């Protein structure tokens, strides 16, 4: 049985103020053509369909067209909600849409209720495990504590119990939206850490034949049976070296991964990160291949040049980001506020602030209070969203 595994569409997202809706529409066209060309048996969308809980209307219209086209193909689609989605909004009409072969799994309570498909070798159970906010689902799953590992483990226990009650030899696939240990993050994923921990071990998915993951934007293989498809488009310059793609997975008669092929997705415009003195960037013939790319330029001139953006765009008309890191100065003094915060968690920033105003680092008890405050704010945001 062939599955096309994709995730993290982030419909409605822009790239440094560049509207990506046309590129996202081109991806949907490519998705549909891939399903036809490779005679795919089911499409798996592992969360973050939208970029935010209340997406703009054009993004909703594109999503609607995508669902209609998938339904017209007669190829079952299983789709879960991610941490960017509003699970309740995405799941509206799920019961009716289900009849068209589009199976939306946005309610954690239904994680052990699979979509069951069959081929000549028997049945395949596809379980949709939406993003689980630990503080909101701990009690529902009787998890031991408020953590990603605890709630995912409890949900997977339910899935394994359902699978054990099915006919021997039933193959299984799980869609999940999480940060799994060993995965490589980029700058464009939203922090989901709880208690300072965001990653869960891949072993949480033991017992199923394939785990189709979403959340991380780079396509990657955690293990033969545990993979991220990555986002179909780049959403930050940290993804400049990514090869954007989908996984075409063939599940064999015994549940083995008979084949795994990366299907490249359309690139609206390549990305390039250029660094050096302004005159060097403008004169270097090696940069000719980047003249039609989206550009992130970091200038290292000791003194800020006059009118740098206009001069850059004369050669690189699609320059979107401009930063200054003069050589010969102390790094901390030269770095901008945004650069100093880059790659740091909210917890680390808050601890640094405490150290700055008090003259000493917070102790373990104080760190726990800070982390608890961040966890509660994010959980409260999720509660408020669920009531809208």
């Amino acid at each position: 049985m062939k599955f096309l595994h994709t995730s993290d569409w982030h419909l409605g997202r822009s790239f440094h103020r560049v509207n990506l809706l046309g590129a996202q529409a081109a991806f949907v066209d490519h998705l549909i053509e891939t399903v036809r060309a490779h005679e795919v048996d089911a499409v798996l969308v592992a969360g973050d369909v939208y970029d935010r809980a209340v997406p703009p209307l054009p993004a909703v219209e594109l999503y609607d067209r995508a669902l209609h086209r998938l339904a017209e193909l007669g190829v079952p689609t299983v789709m879960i909600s991610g941490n960017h989605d509003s699970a309740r909004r995405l799941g509206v009409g799920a019961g009716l849409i289900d009849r068209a072969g589009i199976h939306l799994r946005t309610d954690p309570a239904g994680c052990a209720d699979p979509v069951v498909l069959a081929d000549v070798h028997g049945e395949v159970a596809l379980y949709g495990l939406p993003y689980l906010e630990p503080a909101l689902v701990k009690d529902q799953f009787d998890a031991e504590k408020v953590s990603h590992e605890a709630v995912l483990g409890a949900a997977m226990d339910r899935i394994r119990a359902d699978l054990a009650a099915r006919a021997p030899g039933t193959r299984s696939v799980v869609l999940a939206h999480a940060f799994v240990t060993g995965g490589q993050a980029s700058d464009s994923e939203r922090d989901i850490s709880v208690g300072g921990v965001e990653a869960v071990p891949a072993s949480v998915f033991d017992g199923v034949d394939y785990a189709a993951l979403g959340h991380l934007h780079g396509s990657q293989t955690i293990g033969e049976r545990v993979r991220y498809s990555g986002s179909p488009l780049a959403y930050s310059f940290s993804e400049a070296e990514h090869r954007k793609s989908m996984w075409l997975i063939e599940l064999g008669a015994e549940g083995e991964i008979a084949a795994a092929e990366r299907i490249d997705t359309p690139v609206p415009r390549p990305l390039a990160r250029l660094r050096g003195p302004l005159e060097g960037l403008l004169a270097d013939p090696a940069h000719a291949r980047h003249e039609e790319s989206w550009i992130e330029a970091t200038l290292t001139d000791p003194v800020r040049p006059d009118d740098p953006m206009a001069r850059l765009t004369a050669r690189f008309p699609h320059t979107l980001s401009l930063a200054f890191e003069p050589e010969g100065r102390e790094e901390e003094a030269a770095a901008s506020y945004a650069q100093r915060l880059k790659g740091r968690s909210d917890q680390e920033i808050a601890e640094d602030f405490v150290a700055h105003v008090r003259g000493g680092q917070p102790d373990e008890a104080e760190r726990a209070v800070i982390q608890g405050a961040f966890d509660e704010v994010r959980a409260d945001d999720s509660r408020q969203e669920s009531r809208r």
Side-chain angles (χ1 to χ4, degrees):
M1 189 172 288
K2 289 183 182 178
F3 303 105
L4 188 63
H5 167 199
T6 178
S7 72
D8 295 274
W9 294 2
H10 288 278
L11 300 182
R13 188 165 185 157
S14 60
F15 185 80
H16 289 265
R17 299 177 302 281
V18 174
N19 190 318
L20 291 180
L21 196 67
Q24 291 171 334
F27 160 69
V28 171
D29 291 342
H30 177 69
L31 172 74
I32 299 299
E33 182 53 38
T34 301
V35 171
R36 285 198 192 100
H38 291 271
E39 299 181 334
V40 170
D41 295 301
V43 175
L44 314 177
V45 186
D48 281 354
V49 178
Y50 291 122
D51 188 55
R52 55 182 185 267
V54 185
L57 182 57
V60 177
E61 292 171 338
L62 178 56
Y63 167 75
D64 181 62
R65 291 197 300 273
L67 294 194
H68 276 83
R69 294 174 71 183
L70 287 166
E72 288 169 1
L73 289 176
V75 175
T77 298
V78 183
M79 181 179 291
I80 63 172
S81 49
N83 61 300
H84 278 250
D85 298 309
S86 165
R88 292 187 66 183
R89 286 190 175 88
L90 190 65
V92 168
L96 288 173
I97 296 172
D98 191 81
R99 300 177 190 177
I102 307 294
H103 308 284
L104 302 178
R105 294 295 187 262
T106 62
D107 184 355
C111 68
D113 178 20
V115 176
V116 180
L117 306 179
D119 62 11
V120 294
H121 304 296
E123 293 186 338
V124 180
L126 285 76
Y127 298 90
L129 185 54
Y131 171 71
L132 303 176
E133 180 61 50
L136 301 187
V137 300
K138 172 186 176 293
D139 294 339
Q140 181 179 350
F141 284 102
D142 298 319
E144 295 180 355
K145 59 182 180 178
V146 180
S147 73
H148 288 291
E149 184 174 356
V151 298
L152 269 172
M156 283 301 302
D157 285 344
R158 293 189 181 186
I159 289 172
R160 283 186 282 263
D162 179 84
L163 187 59
R166 295 184 177 275
T170 299
R171 292 160 291 166
S172 56
V173 173
V174 168
L175 288 77
H177 197 86
F179 193 142
V180 175
T181 302
Q184 297 296 313
S186 62
D187 292 345
S188 52
E189 297 115 5
R190 183 180 294 168
D191 178 33
I192 59 170
S193 60
V194 173
V197 178
E198 60 183 352
V200 300
S203 59
V204 76
F205 299 108
D206 285 354
V208 297
D209 296 313
Y210 183 68
L213 302 182
H215 179 59
L216 299 184
H217 289 182
S219 176
Q220 46 204 299
T221 301
I222 305 300
E224 181 67 12
R225 299 178 181 275
V226 181
R227 299 171 187 259
Y228 283 97
S229 67
S231 60
L233 299 171
Y235 292 117
S236 71
F237 277 103
S238 66
E239 301 169 55
E241 300 303 319
H242 286 189
R243 173 188 164 194
K244 295 302 183 181
S245 58
M246 303 176 283
W247 280 112
L248 182 63
I249 300 294
E250 186 172 348
L251 202 61
E254 303 298 325
E256 75 278 13
I257 305 300
E261 178 185 355
R262 287 179 70 179
I263 306 294
D264 292 333
T265 53
V267 178
R269 193 178 295 279
L271 310 185
R273 307 179 93 171
L274 306 183
R275 180 184 181 88
L278 177 59
E279 294 301 334
L281 298 185
L282 296 177
D284 192 340
H287 295 325
R289 61 194 177 95
H290 299 310
E291 289 176 356
E292 294 303 317
S293 299
W294 278 323
I295 299 293
E296 176 191 70
T298 301
L299 302 185
T300 60
D301 301 80
V303 177
R304 184 175 299 217
D306 292 334
D307 211 7
M309 180 60 88
R311 294 167 68 187
L312 274 170
T313 54
R315 182 179 187 188
F316 307 106
H318 306 289
T319 301
L320 300 181
S321 175
L322 178 59
F324 298 91
E325 294 183 9
E327 292 180 344
R329 297 185 188 177
E330 290 296 327
E331 181 178 349
E332 183 66 19
S336 69
Y337 180 70
Q339 290 164 340
R340 294 198 300 273
L341 298 187
K342 187 175 182 179
R344 299 180 63 77
S345 68
D346 291 341
Q347 176 84 11
E348 291 170 326
I349 294 168
E351 289 177 10
D352 286 350
F353 175 75
V354 172
H356 175 72
V357 299
R358 195 176 62 184
Q361 292 290 336
D363 59 27
E364 288 302 316
E366 291 168 331
R367 288 191 180 96
V369 169
I370 294 170
Q371 186 62 63
F374 282 122
D375 291 348
E376 180 56 34
V377 166
R378 194 181 64 241
D380 187 61
D381 286 344
S382 296
R383 293 188 192 98
Q384 294 295 332
E385 174 56 39
S386 68
R387 298 189 187 109
R388 291 179 186 173

